[in-house]
């Protein structure tokens, strides 16, 4: 079992979020935000920006780190440590993704999509100002439980 570092990015344009309908791999058929694994020596911010550009053609202008999520043994092989971002300012033209199909989804419809059960829990946290650190446990793709600690936003 190994350790994977990744980003998960929700690009928002007003009341819509750019969602990716996965076309391959163990996530095939699921909807998710953008993102993926770190390249060697890459910072979380560099990974986030690169993954958004690679998967959508959009360049990140402003992003907010909302929290960390640990997914132990998520894919049956590795523990995933994930930096979760919300992007509210971006530039460029949307292009097709090799990962699947992209769609701007109204925020109130995201929980209606075929998303992971754990995502139904943490996606609402993205709208708040609290920073979170969570562990979401799955077993053979089935959601089991989670733990979370919320931190107050800095006031300085």
């Amino acid at each position: 079992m190994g350790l994977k570092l990744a980003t998960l990015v929700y690009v928002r344009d007003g009341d819509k979020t750019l969602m990716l309908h996965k076309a391959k791999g163990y996530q095939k058929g699921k909807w998710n935000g953008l993102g993926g694994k770190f390249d060697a020596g890459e910072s979380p911010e560099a990974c986030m920006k690169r993954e958004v550009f690679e998967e959508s053609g959009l360049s990140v202008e402003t992003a907010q780190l909302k929290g960390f999520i640990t997914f132990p043994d998520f894919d049956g092989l590795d523990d995933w440590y994930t930096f979760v971002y919300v992007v509210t300012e971006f530039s460029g033209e949307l292009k097709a993704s090799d990962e699947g199909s992209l769609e701007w989804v109204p925020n109130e419809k995201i929980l209606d999509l075929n998303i992971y059960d754990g995502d139904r829990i943490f996606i609402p946290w993205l709208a708040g100002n609290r920073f979170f650190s969570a562990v979401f446990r799955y077993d053979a793709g089935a959601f089991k439980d989670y733990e979370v600690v919320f931190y107050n936003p800095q006031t300085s």
Side-chain angles (χ1 to χ4, degrees):
M1 180 160 317
L3 167 69
K4 300 286 186 187
L5 296 174
T7 56
L8 180 56
V9 187
Y10 293 90
V11 178
R12 295 207 160 149
D13 186 8
D15 62 351
K16 297 181 302 256
T17 299
L18 187 60
M19 296 294 288
L20 177 61
H21 191 224
K22 296 285 191 165
K24 56 188 176 183
Y26 68 93
Q27 294 187 28
K28 184 177 180 177
K30 293 285 189 186
W31 288 87
N32 211 336
L34 307 179
K37 293 180 288 202
F38 282 42
D39 283 344
E42 200 170 40
S43 71
E45 292 73 24
C47 176
M48 176 262 304
K49 290 177 178 181
R50 177 184 53 76
E51 286 285 346
V52 168
F53 184 77
E54 288 177 0
E55 294 182 356
S56 71
L58 301 177
S59 296
V60 172
E61 305 291 335
T62 303
Q64 183 179 14
L65 179 61
K66 301 299 281 188
F68 300 116
I69 301 177
T70 303
F71 296 100
D73 195 30
F74 183 71
D75 58 3
L77 301 171
D78 300 299
D79 289 350
W80 288 80
Y81 288 75
T82 307
F83 295 75
V84 183
Y85 290 89
V86 170
V87 169
T88 54
E89 294 181 31
F90 52 89
S91 60
E93 295 294 321
L94 199 60
K95 68 171 182 68
S97 174
D98 293 340
E99 302 281 328
S101 58
L102 293 166
E103 186 175 325
W104 289 104
V105 177
N107 292 340
E108 70 272 8
K109 301 284 188 191
I110 292 173
L111 299 183
D112 297 336
L113 298 174
N114 181 25
I115 59 176
Y116 287 99
D117 290 337
D119 294 14
R120 296 180 196 290
I121 296 167
F122 78 76
I123 285 175
W125 302 345
L126 302 178
N129 285 329
R130 298 178 300 173
F131 187 86
F132 62 88
S133 179
V135 177
F136 281 80
R137 293 178 192 84
Y138 288 80
D139 184 11
F143 176 69
K144 293 299 182 193
D145 63 14
Y146 77 99
E147 299 170 31
V148 63
V149 175
F150 289 102
Y151 296 90
N152 291 328
Q154 292 184 354
T155 56
S156 60

